[in-house]
């Protein structure tokens, strides 16, 4: 079900304020809301050991365990993506008594913890809460995933963006008309339109539900968090300059 919410707001500057007599410049804003139709489960996998090769092997084993669990609940290869694979040495600092120093000051003894290998994993699919619960529980049960995050997004945000952009232009026209009537002037033709196109991908048209603090304690059964999927607000703005008579 699509829900549309229109928001109108505008900022206007007469041409005489910027040295352009006989024009009015208006910034129009448009906003719509849409029900998300896509879902993402994001998490990280990492391993650390003082032996670099062993750390890499541990990461591969964890990753394979998670992948097997996902395949077991019906996740296909094209729904999975890995990114940001990295390795770096990790250290901590201790005082002279061997106590770990939690601050970032350059003091105490620097102690090598090991080589950390990590990567980010992502599952993306059409929104299906029952399926998401099965996948979430399967991942948690592996005890190999960290920093779980659930996103709900628009699989194709372009129509929503187009509608918000249209409302922005309509809004600008309404405000320009009102200003001209108040000034006993007549609104003429469009002299200029300024629009800065932005990247309207899924990362922008999405609502996040972080679940990193909802992982079960040792021995607890995995519980799927209670989630209220909210509508996503999609906005746009445009600046239009009209001639005035």
């Amino acid at each position: 079900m699509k829900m549309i919410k229109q928001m109108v707001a505008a900022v206007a500057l007469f041409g005489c304020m910027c040295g352009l007599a006989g024009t009015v410049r208006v910034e129009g804003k448009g906003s719509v809301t849409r029900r998300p139709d896509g879902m993402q489960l994001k998490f990280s996998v990492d391993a650390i050991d003082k032996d670099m090769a062993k750390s890499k092997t541990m990461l591969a084993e964890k990753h394979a365990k998670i992948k097997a669990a996902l395949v077991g609940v019906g996740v296909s290869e094209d729904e999975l993506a890995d990114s940001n694979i990295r390795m770096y040495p990790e250290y901590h600092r201790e005082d002279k008594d061997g106590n770990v120093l939690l601050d970032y000051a350059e003091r105490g003894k620097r102690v090598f913890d090991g080589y950390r290998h990590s990567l980010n994993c992502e599952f993306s699919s059409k929104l299906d809460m029952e399926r998401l619960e099965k996948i979430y529980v399967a991942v948690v049960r592996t005890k190999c995933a960290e920093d779980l995050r659930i996103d709900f997004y628009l699989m194709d945000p372009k129509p929503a963006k187009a509608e918000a952009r249209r409302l922005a232009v309509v809004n600008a026209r309404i405000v320009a008309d009102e200003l001209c009537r108040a000034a006993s002037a007549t609104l003429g033709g469009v002299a200029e339109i300024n629009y800065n196109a932005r990247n309207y991908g899924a990362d922008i048209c999405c609502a996040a539900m972080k679940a990193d603090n909802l992982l079960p304690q040792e021995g607890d059964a995995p519980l799927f968090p209670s989630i209220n999927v909210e509508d996503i607000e999609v906005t746009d703005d445009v600046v239009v300059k009209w001639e005035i008579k």
Side-chain angles (χ1 to χ4, degrees):
M1 174 181 179
K2 291 186 177 180
M3 300 176 63
I4 300 178
K5 170 187 171 186
Q6 298 187 8
M7 176 191 75
V8 292
V11 178
L13 297 173
F14 276 105
C16 60
M17 297 176 64
C18 57
L20 297 174
T23 63
V24 59
R25 184 174 180 269
V26 179
E27 179 183 359
K29 297 183 180 294
S31 173
V32 299
T33 57
R34 294 286 188 271
R35 187 72 172 171
D37 56 358
M39 62 182 184
Q40 292 179 326
L41 176 62
K42 301 177 180 179
F43 54 91
S44 62
V45 183
D46 66 19
I48 185 170
D49 194 271
K50 291 185 178 180
D51 184 301
M52 185 185 297
K54 186 176 180 181
S55 173
K56 183 178 180 181
T57 299
M58 290 167 60
L59 179 72
E61 290 173 347
K62 286 185 175 182
H63 184 253
K65 187 175 181 180
I66 291 176
K67 189 172 182 180
L70 291 171
V71 171
V73 290
V75 175
S76 61
E77 287 282 350
D78 60 355
E79 293 176 317
L80 298 174
D82 298 330
S83 63
N84 200 20
I85 302 172
R86 53 206 180 275
M87 187 283 292
Y88 53 91
E90 192 167 293
Y91 301 84
H92 71 274
R93 288 187 175 272
E94 297 178 356
D95 63 17
K96 59 186 178 67
D97 298 318
N99 299 309
V100 177
L101 299 173
L102 299 179
D103 57 48
Y104 294 95
E106 291 293 325
R107 62 189 182 89
K109 180 182 177 182
R110 193 180 188 216
V111 180
F112 177 60
D113 294 318
Y115 296 98
R116 184 175 295 278
H117 284 82
S118 63
L119 59 84
N120 295 335
C121 302
E122 179 181 299
F123 158 78
S124 301
S125 179
K126 183 178 179 180
L127 181 58
D128 183 334
M129 294 301 293
E130 290 185 6
R131 188 179 184 217
L132 180 60
E133 179 174 0
K134 292 178 182 179
I135 293 168
Y136 174 88
V137 171
V139 170
V140 172
R141 280 179 175 160
T142 67
K143 298 182 179 180
C144 296
E146 299 183 22
D147 302 321
L148 271 76
R149 170 189 171 110
I150 298 173
D151 287 347
F152 302 101
Y153 66 100
L154 297 178
M155 298 182 73
D156 181 10
K158 293 179 181 178
K161 290 303 303 184
E163 178 63 12
R165 190 161 49 244
R166 185 190 70 80
L167 291 174
V169 176
V170 170
N171 169 226
R173 176 67 189 236
I174 290 173
V175 174
D177 275 328
E178 291 175 351
L179 290 170
C180 284
R181 286 198 299 271
S184 299
T186 302
L187 191 66
V190 173
E192 183 180 312
I193 297 178
N194 292 318
Y195 178 73
N196 294 320
R198 289 166 287 175
N199 178 18
Y200 300 123
D203 288 342
I204 293 178
C205 298
C206 74
M209 196 292 298
K210 292 187 177 180
D212 53 341
N213 61 338
L214 299 176
L215 294 176
Q217 300 297 317
E218 189 70 26
D220 291 347
L223 296 176
F224 186 61
S226 177
I227 300 175
N228 180 27
V229 182
E230 297 182 350
D231 290 344
I232 295 171
E233 182 180 23
V234 183
T235 64
D236 210 344
D237 54 80
V238 63
V239 177
V240 185
K241 183 168 70 177
W242 281 272
E243 296 175 350
I244 55 176
K245 304 175 184 178

